[in-house]
């Protein structure tokens, strides 16, 4: 039976993230952009209309898949298991991949920390950061600059967080809790000291999405459901506080405290700027590339950034991007390098043109609707993919997260897990285990000591 929460719907998330921000960007004058964020306004009336139409196409694609798949399930044209066979080997199957994801993640962080030590990391640098010493944050980021092919491993933590919640709620937390706490502590250390807010959101958001998705299946009581339905408002407040604290150490104490009089006003302008200038930068890139590339360059950035493999591809020859093109340089001459988000919404239009971009968001809506359908019907494939998709929807005004290098390790590991799950499944992709009987996230009675067979997924 389908049980979910309204704001987890991909159409709702995408609309909420794109429409308000593009409306604000369209309403503001060029002088407002220059005064607040030091960049001219590039978003035209035409691109505003393109933005709204993109949202409508995404909603159409998402709704189409949800309606079609619901009809398939309601007609029972695809067999669904009526019983669940529980075996310990299936618990071991999930734990194997969970342990692999933790192993990769901790390896990446340990090696990264070791490299930082060899570069001169000391407690004095960390203390300077906490005290708000000018330049301390930039020194720390230099010490922790990425190591190609190694720090990528830390991104497997996204899958570790998803599997931890899924296994923990369904089978128990005894073998997971300590590793999950360590991962969260390390990630928040990274987010705070290295000013990588997204690193924390990449773990926390999938945890929340997966947790609520599973909890919704067992039913939410009146007060809990009201709180969950209002949680987007609570989330906005929490995010604003989180953003403000990180921004204090990131830019306020280093530079803006001497120029601005109000920290609160600074934070409001800053938060708005990250999303609005992202859309504006995307519009700028459309102006720079007056003709579509007719090749997936900006929509496949993971390939060009991929360690070793990326060096074998000549992106300039394949895509037609000028050899002297540099996004940072373009921002320096036409925008503001401090606000360096390229916008996830407009990148498909640079690669494929208007028609191709419209088709991209229609297909994206269909894909998100398909995965959301699995998620809302308590299917393990939905739990694996949808939390990552959800992060991408939230980041869509700023970046095309799904195609970035930082998301690629998570996609890769999730694909391998899905592949082996599919092999073990005798019903195929659309079969699910929606007969979980759970109360407060734990299996009832004697079922708690038994395990779910992957053959029923």
């Amino acid at each position: 039976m389908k049980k979910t929460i309204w704001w987890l719907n991909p159409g709702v998330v995408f609309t909420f993230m794109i429409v308000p921000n593009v409306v604000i960007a369209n309403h503001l004058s060029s002088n407002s952009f220059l005064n607040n964020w030091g960049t001219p306004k590039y978003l035209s009336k035409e691109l505003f209309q393109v933005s709204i139409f993109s949202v409508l196409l995404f909603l159409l694609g998402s709704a189409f898949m949800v309606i079609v798949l619901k009809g398939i399930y309601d007609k029972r044209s695809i067999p669904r298991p009526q019983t669940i066979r529980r075996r310990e080997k299936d618990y071991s199957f999930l734990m194997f991949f969970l342990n692999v994801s933790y192993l990769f993640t901790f390896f990446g962080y340990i090696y990264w920390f070791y490299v930082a030590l060899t570069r001169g990391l000391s407690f004095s640098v960390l203390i300077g950061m906490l005290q708000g010493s000018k330049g301390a944050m930039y020194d720390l980021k230099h010490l922790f600059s990425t190591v190609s092919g190694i720090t990528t491993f830390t991104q497997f933590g996204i899958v570790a967080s998803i599997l931890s919640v899924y296994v923990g709620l369904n089978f128990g937390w005894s073998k997971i809790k300590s590793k999950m706490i360590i991962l969260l502590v390390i990630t928040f250390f990274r987010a705070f000291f290295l000013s990588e807010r997204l690193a924390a959101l990449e773990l926390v958001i999938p945890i929340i999405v997966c947790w609520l998705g599973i909890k919704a299946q067992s039913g939410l009581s009146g007060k809990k459901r009201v709180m969950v339905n209002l949680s987007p408002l609570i989330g906005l407040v929490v995010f604003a506080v989180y953003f403000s604290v990180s921004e204090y150490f990131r830019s306020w104490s280093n530079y803006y405290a001497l120029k601005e009089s109000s920290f609160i006003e600074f934070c409001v302008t800053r938060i708005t700027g990250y999303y609005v200038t992202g859309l504006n930068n995307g519009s700028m890139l459309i102006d720079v590339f007056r003709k579509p590339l007719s090749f997936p360059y900006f929509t496949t950035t993971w390939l060009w950034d991929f360690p070793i493999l990326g060096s074998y591809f000549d992106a300039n020859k394949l895509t037609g991007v000028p050899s002297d093109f540099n996004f940072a340089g373009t921002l320096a001459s036409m925008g503001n390098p401090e606000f360096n988000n390229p916008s996830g919404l407009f990148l498909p239009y640079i690669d494929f043109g208007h028609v191709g971009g419209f088709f991209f968001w229609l297909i994206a809506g269909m894909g998100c609707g398909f995965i959301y359908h699995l998620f809302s019907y308590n299917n393990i494939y939905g739990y694996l993919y949808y939390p990552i998709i959800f992060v991408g929807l939230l980041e869509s005004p700023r970046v095309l997260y799904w195609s970035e290098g930082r998301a690629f390790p998570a996609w890769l590991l999730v694909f391998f897990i899905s592949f082996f799950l599919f092999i073990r499944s005798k019903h195929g992709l659309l079969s699910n285990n929606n007969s979980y009987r759970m109360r407060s996230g734990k299996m009832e009675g004697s079922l708690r000591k038994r395990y779910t067979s992957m053959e029923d997924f």
Side-chain angles (χ1 to χ4, degrees):
M1 181 179 179
K2 180 179 179 179
K3 295 181 180 180
T4 188
I5 299 160
W6 68 271
W7 53 266
L8 290 178
N9 186 294
V12 172
V13 183
F14 191 66
T15 302
F16 175 78
M17 294 307 301
I18 295 297
V19 173
N21 285 300
V22 79
V23 167
I24 292 172
N26 181 65
H27 176 74
L28 293 173
S29 65
S30 185
N31 285 335
S32 296
F33 271 88
L34 285 170
N35 293 333
N36 290 316
W37 306 295
T39 179
K41 179 180 178 180
Y42 293 98
L43 183 70
S44 63
K45 294 292 183 181
E46 180 189 357
L47 289 178
F48 171 73
Q49 295 169 357
V50 167
S51 303
I52 300 301
F53 193 57
S54 300
V55 173
L56 293 176
L57 287 172
F58 184 92
L59 290 172
L60 177 64
S62 177
F64 173 78
M65 290 303 294
V66 170
I67 292 172
V68 168
L69 290 172
K70 184 178 184 300
I72 292 175
Y73 270 82
D74 289 345
K75 293 178 181 179
R76 297 183 180 273
S77 58
I78 295 177
R80 290 186 293 170
Q82 300 302 312
T83 61
I84 297 181
R85 294 187 292 274
R86 291 175 167 79
R87 300 175 186 171
E88 188 170 356
K89 67 177 183 180
D90 301 320
Y91 168 73
S92 301
F93 175 84
L94 288 177
M95 283 300 298
F96 170 78
F97 281 104
L98 178 58
N99 289 328
V100 167
S101 62
Y102 272 117
L103 178 65
F104 286 168
T105 305
F106 289 147
F107 165 75
Y109 275 117
I110 290 171
Y111 193 91
W112 198 8
F113 187 76
Y114 165 75
V115 171
L117 288 174
T118 63
R119 292 170 176 170
L121 176 66
S122 64
F123 280 110
S124 61
V125 179
L126 299 177
I127 293 173
M129 170 70 178
L130 292 172
Q131 292 176 339
S133 300
K134 191 172 182 179
M137 185 202 70
Y138 299 104
D139 293 338
L140 199 58
K141 291 190 74 170
H142 174 71
L143 293 172
F144 277 95
S145 56
T146 58
V147 182
S148 180
I150 298 298
T151 47
T152 302
F153 278 85
T154 61
Q155 295 304 109
F156 287 109
I158 301 169
V159 182
S161 66
I162 296 170
L163 286 177
S164 292
V165 173
Y166 187 86
V167 174
L169 288 179
N170 287 320
F171 302 112
W173 293 94
S174 60
K175 296 183 178 181
I176 303 171
K177 185 163 55 177
S178 59
K179 287 181 285 191
M180 190 174 182
I181 291 173
I182 292 172
L183 177 59
L184 287 171
V185 170
I186 294 174
T187 303
F188 276 101
F189 174 93
R190 173 184 177 181
F192 178 76
F193 283 100
L194 303 185
S195 192
E196 283 193 55
R197 284 186 289 260
L198 184 55
L201 297 178
E202 284 174 318
L203 257 66
V204 173
I205 291 173
I207 287 173
I208 293 173
V209 170
C210 192
W211 188 292
L212 290 178
I214 293 174
K215 288 290 186 178
Q217 300 303 318
S218 57
L220 296 169
S221 61
K223 291 183 178 180
K224 289 182 179 179
R225 179 160 289 278
V226 171
M227 288 296 295
V228 168
N229 286 333
L230 294 176
S231 55
L233 297 177
I234 301 172
L236 283 175
V237 175
V238 172
F239 175 74
V241 173
Y242 170 60
F243 181 95
S244 300
V245 171
S246 62
E247 202 64 31
Y248 176 86
F249 294 97
R250 183 178 187 176
S251 57
W252 176 264
S253 61
N254 284 284
Y255 182 70
Y256 284 98
L258 301 175
K259 297 178 60 178
E260 304 284 344
S261 58
S262 171
F263 177 65
I264 295 177
E265 183 179 341
F266 165 78
C267 289
V268 172
T269 304
R270 199 79 173 175
I271 292 175
T272 307
Y274 274 106
Y275 292 97
V276 171
T277 60
L279 294 165
N280 193 58
N281 290 340
S283 304
M284 177 191 69
L285 287 174
I286 290 179
D287 283 349
V288 171
F289 296 91
R290 296 187 179 276
K291 294 182 179 180
L293 300 175
S294 301
F295 193 91
Y297 175 72
F298 288 102
T299 51
T300 56
T301 53
W302 66 269
L303 178 60
W304 320 119
D305 297 336
F306 196 82
I308 303 175
L309 181 63
S311 61
Y312 286 96
F313 295 97
D314 190 333
N316 303 115
K317 289 183 178 180
L318 286 172
T319 65
V321 175
S323 57
D324 59 348
F325 171 76
N326 180 276
F327 182 50
T330 303
L331 284 176
S333 61
M334 300 179 63
N336 185 348
E338 195 171 355
F339 296 95
N340 56 3
N341 298 310
S343 167
L345 179 66
F346 290 126
L347 295 184
Y349 293 98
I350 302 172
D351 282 353
F352 310 116
H354 278 42
V355 175
F358 290 147
F359 187 71
F360 177 94
W361 286 116
L362 177 65
I363 296 300
M366 295 176 68
C368 291
F370 173 70
I371 298 299
Y372 174 71
H373 177 82
L374 298 180
F375 173 81
S376 62
Y377 273 87
N378 200 31
N379 186 289
I380 190 171
Y381 296 98
Y383 289 120
L384 288 173
Y385 285 94
Y386 193 65
I388 307 174
I389 288 174
F390 195 86
V391 174
L393 292 170
L394 291 177
E395 289 295 295
S396 55
R398 298 196 316 112
V399 295
L400 192 61
Y401 176 80
W402 303 323
S403 67
E404 288 200 332
R406 66 183 303 132
F408 179 75
W411 288 129
L412 184 64
L413 185 54
V414 163
F415 173 79
F416 274 107
I417 296 172
S418 303
F419 175 74
F420 288 109
L421 280 175
F422 185 78
I423 290 176
R424 293 169 64 93
S425 172
K426 66 181 180 181
H427 293 300
L429 184 60
L430 290 178
S431 297
N432 63 66
N433 65 318
N434 67 331
S435 51
Y436 266 143
R437 286 156 49 193
M438 304 174 66
R439 177 179 296 160
S440 300
K442 297 181 180 180
M443 293 187 178
E444 296 180 350
S446 62
L447 297 182
R448 288 199 54 182
K449 297 182 180 180
R450 305 169 72 184
Y451 305 96
T452 303
S453 171
M454 294 302 118
E455 294 177 1
D456 291 318
F457 287 122

